[in-house]
Structure formats: structure tokens, C-alpha cells
Amino acid sequence: MADQIKIMILSGVREQGKDMFAVQVNDEIFVLDAGLKYPDSSLFGIDVVIPDLDFFEQYGDRVAGIFLTHGHADSIGALPYILRKYDIPVFGSQLTIELAKIDVKRENKKLKNSLFHVIDAHTEIDFKNASISFFHTTHSIADSLGIVVHTPAGEVVYTGDFKFDPSAAPNYRTDMDRLAEIETKHVLALLSDSSNAEAWFPSASEQDLEKYVTDVFRNAKGRIIVAAKASNLNRVQEVLNAAAATGRRVLLTGRDFAKIVRTAMKLGYLDVPDGLLMRVKDLKTTPDDKTVILETGRMGDPLNSLQKMANKRHSMIRIHKGDLVFIATTPSHAVETMVAETSDMVYRAGGTVIQLGRDKHTSGHATGRDLQLLIDILKPDFLFPVIGEYRLMEIHKNLAIKTGMKKEDVFISKNGDCYNYDFKKKRFYLTDPVPGEDTMIDGSGVGDVGNIVLRDREILSDDGIFLAVVTIDRKKEKIVARPQVTSRGFVYIKANHKLMHDSIEVIEKAINNNFEHKKFDWTELKQDVRNDLEKFLYKQTNLRPVVLPVVMEVNQNRHRAMQKLKENKTDNNTQGENGTPNKRKNSRSSQNHKAVKPRKWKIVKKNSKPTKETKDN
């Protein structure tokens, strides 16, 4: 059988976050990252967004493993929802795997440790059709790795989030020698980070940033409230160092954040001097000028927590006069408005704000020059700009063309695109798409909220709801009681008596017309009421509230209803074949669990003899 190579763009292009890509070699699929993104203001009430899980439904039996580049949510955030239903082996560095376990355990208490495998930059994993190796990269979290899929046509390289910083600490430094080694083996395709492609000037080094953070702490007179991302361990270490250098103690807020810090300390990725950390009860006895509050917020969003502090709605902390709020993260363009609103609230509460991103150009992602340097080093045949919004991908493409790549060798993809490699023509071409839609997480529901629900939520936020209740006698084909109407978020009822009165007449007319001209049908009757009300209300107010007609019925055969209820109870208590009652499954995670077909693989350490053990995972 002829070799087959496919590159699947499952998620993470034309957007920020939710990174997930895949490389298929013959009948094995290697998934690269499995992240989430936090919703913008258009996704009403949605907690997080993850890639389309239908991919695993369709291709799960071919998935050999999920390979992680680093421990941020945009790389590991979808794992809890994938592993809830599919038993797929997961590979990552020690810190990445530990952070992934924290994420998975939060959503699924039954953590299967056997699915997680720790690798490092010197690991090579042999599968039936391909092998996987790794290389060190620089990012804002330690032990970040790039991934190389060795295929019959050459190397497919995925960078994950990366940048170049020669002054980075050893745990954060890119292995340039390894990149040069990969180039000698012929790079077929490069999937490269585009998040910071429009930045041309180099980011400030982490050494400069640590000095800057310490200076901010020295100049502060009162409490310092630091807003940072929990998984940005580089920034967390800088905050801890600055607190120690200025004689302050640090309060960590958030249970998950404390777990991340403890895990990083245990593995040696964070250095925390004895006595530096304090508990909530110590706030009362610690002077303001000796206090640092490190706030990461729920699900990695510190801005919402800052707003609660400023509005006196936070469970523990309230911003007061003399506080300095230090936003130690560079916000994306999508939340700049929220940053401005948050800053305004802080000033109203008596505090002041310093934003690291305004004083220093910093990012955990490659600048335009970094991207060109990577292309010069690896010399890929084809480039797939990934991880970034559309304009950033286009900028990345133009940067690649300036390095000498041909325009037709750079692919601007969209989620769901699948590229097949033609060995004869030596080119990639688009083939049948793969699942690439968003899966929205709302509370404990996975994918329960779709576009229709979101549209209704948007209408509710704009124009409110209009409720109409009417009781009918179907046999006599008449309205038993005058319809009752009410609204919320639509109009002020006391000032719109005529509108309410006229809407009742619209309801009565719609029901009587249905009785006279149509064969009775519950769905059609409600739809008639809804349509007529929507037209009437829009004509009168130019608003389109969500109209909910509630039609009730009287004078029905009570005995028949009671008999039906009795039959339902009997069905619910029907015994199974073994003589015991059938039990309904209450746990969402226990339903439809699928064990993916195990694949044979073995880990090979470079510069050492291959292990003899073959693992069936």
C-alpha cells in the first residue's frame, strides 16, 4: 500500500487559542496539542470553547496519541473533555503532564494516570508508521517543546507557542543545535506560531522584565495586587523574586493556582523562599507596604476578579485607597476594552494601575524576525501559519515570501481543512474536510449550546422576553380563559398597558383562526401565536423579544392521563435480564465511553540503547 501523509487543521487558525492539529501517516493519526480558548462577549454565558470532538468520534480508532507542547490552557485545556470519553495516550514534558493532570482531575475525578507519559527533548517514540521526537523551545512556561513527526516524505515540524530569547534561563531556552539537526533531515512542512507576527521589534528579555518588576515593587507605597496568568510561571517567578527583594509577603488566590505553584515547586520549576507565602488570615496582621496579592482569577482570567475587587464583590479582597494594581500580563487586542474598563474601576475604588504591556514590549510568541529566522534555519518545503488570527497568518505568509519561499508553498488554512500530500507531484492539496467546528462548554454541558441557543441569548440581552399564557378547550375549540401576558427586559409594563392589551387580542385572533381554518396541531398552534406576536410587537416597538407562547388545555380525559402515568411508572421499573432493575446512568462522564484501539509504540532515548520493552497503550 502506498504511503499517505495528511496534515489536519482541527482548530487554532484564524483565532487565538484552541490549538489542535494532527498529522496522519498511513493509518495512524498524531494529534498535536488539545487546547481551549476563553469566549468573547458574543458567546453569552459560555465558559470555554474547545475543538470539535466529532473528530475523535470519526477518527478515534486511528489516533495514536496526543502530543503536548506546553502547559498553558491553549495547549492542554481540551484534554479533560477528550479523555472523559476517549482513552488516548498523552505525551508531554514533566511539568506539562502534571499541569494537564490538574486540569483533567478538575473536570473528571476518575483520573487515569496510565494515559499520561512523561517525555523530554531527548525522547524519540517509534510507532508503526512514523516516529515522534521533540526539541526545546522558549515560551513563558518552562519545559516547552516543539514536536517533529518523522514521515516517509520528510519531517513535519510543529513549533507550538515559541520565541527566541538567547538570555532565557536554561529551562526556557530554545535548542538551536537541535533545530539545525532537524534541517539536515529535510523538513517537509512547518506548522509555525503566528500570534505575534505583526511585531517587528524584539521583545524585552526576561532579565530586563525581572528588573522592571522589582523596580515597580520598590516604588509602591501600599499593597500590590498583581494580575497574572497562573500558568505563566516565568512571570510568577519574577513576582516572587521581586517580593522577596523588597521584603514583602505574597498571598496566592485561587485553589487551582495554589496547586500549580505547589506542583512547580515540587518539580523544581519555581523557587519560593521560606516564609514568603502567606495565608488569607495573615492579611489582617501584615502591613500594606509588606503585602503582595497574586491574583490569577477563575479559569485564568484575572480581569474579572479585579473588577469584583474594585466593586467590593470579591469574596476575600477589596481594593482601597493606596493599592497598586499591577497587570503583569500583555492582554490580547480582544480584551483591551475590558482592560480599560477594569482600570477605570480600580481608580474609582482609590487604587492606581500599572500595565507591564504599556511600558515593556513583551510576548511569549515569536516576532516577525523570529519567524523568518526559524524559516531560514529549517528551510521547509511548505509552511502552514497556525496559532493566530487571519491577519497574523497573512503577515506570516508575507514574511515567509520575503525569505525566499514561493507564494504557492504557504497555505492559509481554516479550521477543518485537511491537506493530503501527493508523492508524485510533491505537493499538498486540499482534500475532504475534517470536523472543525467549535464545541462550547456551558457549565457541565459539553456541546449542549449551539448557534440557536446563542442567538436566543443574544436576543434576550438585546430585546428581552415576552411570555403569553392561554388556556383552551380543544374539543369545544374555544379559549377558556383570557390570555395572560408579561415581559422581562422588553418594555416597562405599567407604561405600556395598551400594548399589552392589544397583544392579548392578537393571541386570541391567532388561536381562533387556527381553530377555524386548520386541523388541530399543538406545534402549529404555538407557532401561529408566536409568529403573529413577533410581527405585532416589532411593528409597535421595532424590537424583537423572544416570544414564548404557553398553551394549556382543559376538559381532557382524566382517567386516560392517569393510566398513561401508571404505564410510565411501570416502564421505569422494568427489570433487566438478570432480574435486577435497570439503573439509569446519572454521570455524563460514564456514558458512551470509548476506548481507542491501542497502538504499539516504544520510547527510544537518544544517546542511549533503545528500550526492549514494547508498550501496548
Side-chain angles (χ1 to χ4, degrees), residues 177-188:
D177 292 338
R178 176 80 172 100
L179 290 177
E181 178 190 340
I182 294 170
E183 185 275 328
T184 62
K185 298 179 180 179
H186 175 224
V187 177
L188 173 65

Side-chain angles (χ1 to χ4, degrees), residues 38 172 198 208 210 367 419 446 460 468 475 482 526 559:
Y38 298 108
Y172 293 83
E198 60 188 347
D208 290 341
E210 183 164 357
T367 64
Y419 295 86
V446 178
L460 282 170
K475 287 185 176 181
R482 185 172 174 80
K526 291 180 181 180
H559 175 73

Side-chain angles (χ1 to χ4, degrees), residues 91-124:
F91 303 84
S93 66
Q94 188 176 32
L95 179 60
T96 302
I97 289 297
E98 290 303 318
L99 295 179
K101 286 180 178 179
I102 291 174
D103 259 17
V104 172
K105 197 167 184 178
R106 184 175 61 235
E107 299 294 336
N108 184 2
K109 301 301 180 184
K110 296 180 179 179
L111 176 67
K112 291 190 176 182
N113 283 302
S114 60
L115 294 177
F116 295 91
H117 306 278
V118 175
I119 51 86
D120 59 30
H122 305 292
T123 302
E124 186 169 334

Side-chain angles (χ1 to χ4, degrees), residues 47-65:
D47 293 327
V48 294
V49 185
I50 63 174
D52 197 336
L53 297 185
D54 283 348
F55 172 80
F56 295 96
E57 190 71 29
Q58 296 181 25
Y59 298 93
D61 59 335
R62 303 183 208 173
V63 175

Side-chain angles (χ1 to χ4, degrees), residues 574-610:
T574 301
Q575 292 186 339
E577 294 178 358
N578 59 358
T580 59
N582 289 327
K583 295 183 179 180
R584 182 181 176 183
K585 294 181 180 179
N586 294 319
S587 171
R588 180 185 294 270
S589 62
S590 67
Q591 295 181 16
N592 302 320
H593 190 86
K594 294 191 177 182
V596 174
K597 179 182 177 182
R599 299 274 174 174
K600 289 186 177 182
W601 53 272
K602 64 180 180 180
I603 290 181
V604 180
K605 288 278 187 180
K606 289 193 173 183
N607 302 321
S608 64
K609 294 182 181 180

